[in-house]
Amino acid sequence: MGVIAGAVVVVLVVVVGWWVVRTYNRLVRLRNQTQASWAQIDVQLKRRHELIPNLVEGARGYAAHEKSTFEAVTAARGAAVSGDLGVTDRAAAEETLTATLGKLFALGESYPELKADHHFATVQAELRSAEDKIAYARQFYNSAVQSYHTALESFPGNVVSGFGGGHGRREYFEAAGAPQDVVQVRF
């Protein structure tokens, strides 16, 4: 009888140990996925940042008197690439950069010669492509963060996450910006 009880205890210990290891490894995998998806956002943002000086220089020749716009774009880019910003601060800096880029794109509409310039149009198209890739990477990152948070907050992840370090919550990469007003359509 003692051998059977000992065997049952050993089996229970093995099962519980397997369960803990499996759950912990899942949390590690999800944490690593959030880090990898953040790295993809970072890659796309760096690409965007590298394109901006070309766009500014291309526009500067056509609209030299729009100095404040160029300075605003340059300052916003500098803020976005500076230091080791957290997710929330990075999102705010990128949102500011996007707003100033919108003003620069508007210059293309104001100056037909600039709009017709092949270099400006090419860089502008590449920036739009980068924006699409950033939006996709942001969506993937936020989805990875959601999966990670769900695993951390649900059983057994909430128990096992305390065993090892480094399993804290991650920030979502959210667009800052004012809430959208409701559009009223009248006929």
Side-chain angles (χ1 to χ4, degrees), residues 72-107:
V73 170
T74 303
R77 179 187 178 272
V81 298
S82 68
D84 190 23
L85 301 176
V87 174
T88 304
D89 294 335
R90 184 79 179 263
E94 292 298 332
E95 195 70 27
T96 302
L97 180 57
T98 299
T100 58
L101 280 175
K103 293 176 185 175
L104 185 60
F105 287 158
L107 287 180

Short mmCIF file of all heavy atoms in Angstrom, two decimals, residues 72-107:
data_model
loop_
_atom_site.label_atom_id
_atom_site.label_comp_id
_atom_site.label_asym_id
_atom_site.label_seq_id
_atom_site.Cartn_x
_atom_site.Cartn_y
_atom_site.Cartn_z
N ALA A 72 9.44 72.58 -37.62
CA ALA A 72 8.53 71.77 -36.80
C ALA A 72 8.71 70.29 -37.10
O ALA A 72 8.74 69.45 -36.18
CB ALA A 72 7.08 72.20 -37.05
N VAL A 73 8.85 69.94 -38.39
CA VAL A 73 9.06 68.55 -38.75
C VAL A 73 10.39 68.04 -38.19
O VAL A 73 10.47 66.95 -37.63
CB VAL A 73 9.00 68.36 -40.29
CG1 VAL A 73 9.45 66.97 -40.69
CG2 VAL A 73 7.60 68.63 -40.80
N THR A 74 11.43 68.86 -38.34
CA THR A 74 12.75 68.47 -37.84
C THR A 74 12.74 68.29 -36.32
O THR A 74 13.31 67.33 -35.80
CB THR A 74 13.80 69.51 -38.27
OG1 THR A 74 13.78 69.63 -39.69
CG2 THR A 74 15.18 69.12 -37.82
N ALA A 75 12.08 69.20 -35.63
CA ALA A 75 12.01 69.10 -34.16
C ALA A 75 11.20 67.88 -33.73
O ALA A 75 11.58 67.16 -32.79
CB ALA A 75 11.39 70.37 -33.58
N ALA A 76 10.09 67.62 -34.42
CA ALA A 76 9.26 66.45 -34.08
C ALA A 76 10.02 65.15 -34.35
O ALA A 76 9.95 64.21 -33.56
CB ALA A 76 7.96 66.47 -34.87
N ARG A 77 10.78 65.12 -35.44
CA ARG A 77 11.59 63.94 -35.74
C ARG A 77 12.65 63.76 -34.66
O ARG A 77 12.90 62.65 -34.18
CB ARG A 77 12.25 64.06 -37.10
CG ARG A 77 13.12 62.87 -37.45
CD ARG A 77 13.90 63.11 -38.75
NE ARG A 77 14.76 61.99 -39.04
CZ ARG A 77 16.01 61.85 -38.61
NH1 ARG A 77 16.54 62.79 -37.84
NH2 ARG A 77 16.73 60.79 -38.92
N GLY A 78 13.29 64.85 -34.26
CA GLY A 78 14.31 64.78 -33.21
C GLY A 78 13.75 64.24 -31.91
O GLY A 78 14.38 63.43 -31.23
N ALA A 79 12.54 64.69 -31.56
CA ALA A 79 11.90 64.20 -30.33
C ALA A 79 11.56 62.72 -30.43
O ALA A 79 11.66 61.98 -29.45
CB ALA A 79 10.65 65.01 -30.03
N ALA A 80 11.17 62.29 -31.62
CA ALA A 80 10.77 60.89 -31.80
C ALA A 80 11.96 59.94 -31.75
O ALA A 80 11.83 58.80 -31.33
CB ALA A 80 10.03 60.72 -33.12
N VAL A 81 13.13 60.40 -32.18
CA VAL A 81 14.29 59.51 -32.20
C VAL A 81 15.17 59.66 -30.96
O VAL A 81 16.11 58.90 -30.79
CB VAL A 81 15.16 59.71 -33.48
CG1 VAL A 81 14.38 59.40 -34.72
CG2 VAL A 81 15.77 61.09 -33.52
N SER A 82 14.85 60.59 -30.11
CA SER A 82 15.71 60.85 -28.96
C SER A 82 15.49 59.85 -27.84
O SER A 82 14.37 59.45 -27.54
CB SER A 82 15.45 62.26 -28.41
OG SER A 82 14.17 62.32 -27.84
N GLY A 83 16.57 59.44 -27.24
CA GLY A 83 16.55 58.66 -26.01
C GLY A 83 15.82 57.33 -26.10
O GLY A 83 15.42 56.87 -27.15
N ASP A 84 15.64 56.76 -24.94
CA ASP A 84 14.97 55.48 -24.80
C ASP A 84 13.58 55.74 -24.22
O ASP A 84 13.36 55.63 -23.02
CB ASP A 84 15.80 54.58 -23.87
CG ASP A 84 15.30 53.15 -23.87
OD1 ASP A 84 14.64 52.76 -24.85
OD2 ASP A 84 15.57 52.44 -22.89
N LEU A 85 12.66 56.11 -25.09
CA LEU A 85 11.31 56.45 -24.66
C LEU A 85 10.50 55.18 -24.40
O LEU A 85 10.67 54.18 -25.08
CB LEU A 85 10.61 57.27 -25.74
CG LEU A 85 11.26 58.59 -26.13
CD1 LEU A 85 10.50 59.24 -27.28
CD2 LEU A 85 11.29 59.54 -24.94
N GLY A 86 9.62 55.26 -23.44
CA GLY A 86 8.70 54.16 -23.19
C GLY A 86 7.64 54.13 -24.29
O GLY A 86 7.58 55.01 -25.15
N VAL A 87 6.79 53.14 -24.25
CA VAL A 87 5.80 52.96 -25.30
C VAL A 87 4.86 54.16 -25.37
O VAL A 87 4.59 54.69 -26.45
CB VAL A 87 5.01 51.65 -25.07
CG1 VAL A 87 3.88 51.51 -26.07
CG2 VAL A 87 5.94 50.46 -25.15
N THR A 88 4.36 54.63 -24.24
CA THR A 88 3.41 55.74 -24.23
C THR A 88 4.06 57.02 -24.73
O THR A 88 3.48 57.74 -25.56
CB THR A 88 2.85 55.95 -22.82
OG1 THR A 88 2.26 54.73 -22.37
CG2 THR A 88 1.81 57.05 -22.79
N ASP A 89 5.26 57.33 -24.25
CA ASP A 89 5.96 58.53 -24.70
C ASP A 89 6.33 58.44 -26.17
O ASP A 89 6.26 59.42 -26.90
CB ASP A 89 7.22 58.76 -23.86
CG ASP A 89 6.90 59.10 -22.42
OD1 ASP A 89 5.78 59.60 -22.15
OD2 ASP A 89 7.76 58.85 -21.54
N ARG A 90 6.71 57.26 -26.61
CA ARG A 90 7.07 57.05 -28.02
C ARG A 90 5.84 57.27 -28.90
O ARG A 90 5.92 57.88 -29.96
CB ARG A 90 7.63 55.65 -28.21
CG ARG A 90 8.13 55.33 -29.58
CD ARG A 90 9.53 55.94 -29.78
NE ARG A 90 10.10 55.66 -31.05
CZ ARG A 90 10.95 54.70 -31.33
NH1 ARG A 90 11.36 53.90 -30.37
NH2 ARG A 90 11.41 54.55 -32.53
N ALA A 91 4.70 56.76 -28.45
CA ALA A 91 3.45 56.93 -29.21
C ALA A 91 3.09 58.41 -29.32
O ALA A 91 2.69 58.89 -30.39
CB ALA A 91 2.31 56.15 -28.56
N ALA A 92 3.26 59.16 -28.24
CA ALA A 92 2.95 60.59 -28.27
C ALA A 92 3.91 61.34 -29.20
O ALA A 92 3.48 62.20 -29.98
CB ALA A 92 3.03 61.18 -26.85
N ALA A 93 5.19 61.00 -29.15
CA ALA A 93 6.16 61.65 -30.03
C ALA A 93 5.88 61.33 -31.49
O ALA A 93 5.97 62.20 -32.37
CB ALA A 93 7.59 61.22 -29.66
N GLU A 94 5.51 60.11 -31.77
CA GLU A 94 5.19 59.72 -33.15
C GLU A 94 3.91 60.38 -33.63
O GLU A 94 3.79 60.72 -34.80
CB GLU A 94 5.09 58.19 -33.26
CG GLU A 94 6.40 57.48 -33.06
CD GLU A 94 7.46 57.82 -34.08
OE1 GLU A 94 7.14 58.19 -35.23
OE2 GLU A 94 8.66 57.73 -33.74
N GLU A 95 2.97 60.56 -32.74
CA GLU A 95 1.72 61.24 -33.11
C GLU A 95 2.00 62.70 -33.48
O GLU A 95 1.45 63.23 -34.45
CB GLU A 95 0.73 61.15 -31.94
CG GLU A 95 -0.68 61.49 -32.31
CD GLU A 95 -1.32 60.43 -33.18
OE1 GLU A 95 -0.93 59.26 -33.12
OE2 GLU A 95 -2.22 60.80 -33.95
N THR A 96 2.88 63.35 -32.72
CA THR A 96 3.28 64.72 -33.04
C THR A 96 3.99 64.77 -34.38
O THR A 96 3.74 65.66 -35.21
CB THR A 96 4.21 65.28 -31.94
OG1 THR A 96 3.50 65.23 -30.69
CG2 THR A 96 4.63 66.70 -32.23
N LEU A 97 4.86 63.81 -34.62
CA LEU A 97 5.58 63.74 -35.90
C LEU A 97 4.61 63.55 -37.05
O LEU A 97 4.73 64.19 -38.10
CB LEU A 97 6.61 62.62 -35.87
CG LEU A 97 7.43 62.42 -37.14
CD1 LEU A 97 8.18 63.69 -37.52
CD2 LEU A 97 8.41 61.27 -36.95
N THR A 98 3.62 62.70 -36.87
CA THR A 98 2.62 62.47 -37.91
C THR A 98 1.86 63.75 -38.23
O THR A 98 1.60 64.06 -39.40
CB THR A 98 1.65 61.35 -37.48
OG1 THR A 98 2.39 60.16 -37.28
CG2 THR A 98 0.57 61.11 -38.51
N ALA A 99 1.52 64.50 -37.19
CA ALA A 99 0.79 65.76 -37.41
C ALA A 99 1.64 66.77 -38.18
O ALA A 99 1.14 67.44 -39.09
CB ALA A 99 0.36 66.35 -36.06
N THR A 100 2.92 66.87 -37.84
CA THR A 100 3.77 67.83 -38.56
C THR A 100 4.05 67.37 -39.98
O THR A 100 4.17 68.19 -40.89
CB THR A 100 5.10 68.08 -37.82
OG1 THR A 100 5.80 66.85 -37.67
CG2 THR A 100 4.87 68.73 -36.47
N LEU A 101 4.12 66.05 -40.18
CA LEU A 101 4.27 65.54 -41.54
C LEU A 101 3.05 65.86 -42.40
O LEU A 101 3.17 66.13 -43.59
CB LEU A 101 4.50 64.02 -41.54
CG LEU A 101 5.90 63.56 -41.22
CD1 LEU A 101 5.94 62.04 -41.13
CD2 LEU A 101 6.89 64.05 -42.25
N GLY A 102 1.90 65.86 -41.78
CA GLY A 102 0.68 66.25 -42.50
C GLY A 102 0.78 67.67 -43.03
O GLY A 102 0.35 67.96 -44.15
N LYS A 103 1.38 68.55 -42.25
CA LYS A 103 1.59 69.93 -42.70
C LYS A 103 2.57 69.98 -43.86
O LYS A 103 2.40 70.76 -44.80
CB LYS A 103 2.09 70.80 -41.54
CG LYS A 103 1.07 70.99 -40.44
CD LYS A 103 1.66 71.76 -39.29
CE LYS A 103 0.67 71.83 -38.13
NZ LYS A 103 1.25 72.46 -36.95
N LEU A 104 3.59 69.14 -43.79
CA LEU A 104 4.56 69.10 -44.88
C LEU A 104 3.93 68.55 -46.15
O LEU A 104 4.17 69.06 -47.25
CB LEU A 104 5.77 68.25 -44.47
CG LEU A 104 6.93 68.21 -45.45
CD1 LEU A 104 7.49 69.63 -45.68
CD2 LEU A 104 8.03 67.31 -44.92
N PHE A 105 3.09 67.53 -46.02
CA PHE A 105 2.39 67.00 -47.18
C PHE A 105 1.44 68.04 -47.78
O PHE A 105 1.25 68.08 -48.99
CB PHE A 105 1.59 65.74 -46.82
CG PHE A 105 2.45 64.53 -46.58
CD1 PHE A 105 1.96 63.48 -45.82
CD2 PHE A 105 3.74 64.43 -47.09
CE1 PHE A 105 2.73 62.35 -45.59
CE2 PHE A 105 4.52 63.30 -46.86
CZ PHE A 105 4.01 62.27 -46.11
N ALA A 106 0.87 68.86 -46.91
CA ALA A 106 -0.02 69.92 -47.40
C ALA A 106 0.74 70.92 -48.25
O ALA A 106 0.16 71.54 -49.16
CB ALA A 106 -0.70 70.62 -46.22
N LEU A 107 2.03 71.10 -47.99
CA LEU A 107 2.83 71.99 -48.84
C LEU A 107 2.84 71.49 -50.28
O LEU A 107 2.85 72.29 -51.22
CB LEU A 107 4.27 72.08 -48.33
CG LEU A 107 4.53 72.86 -47.07
CD1 LEU A 107 6.02 72.82 -46.74
CD2 LEU A 107 4.06 74.29 -47.21
#
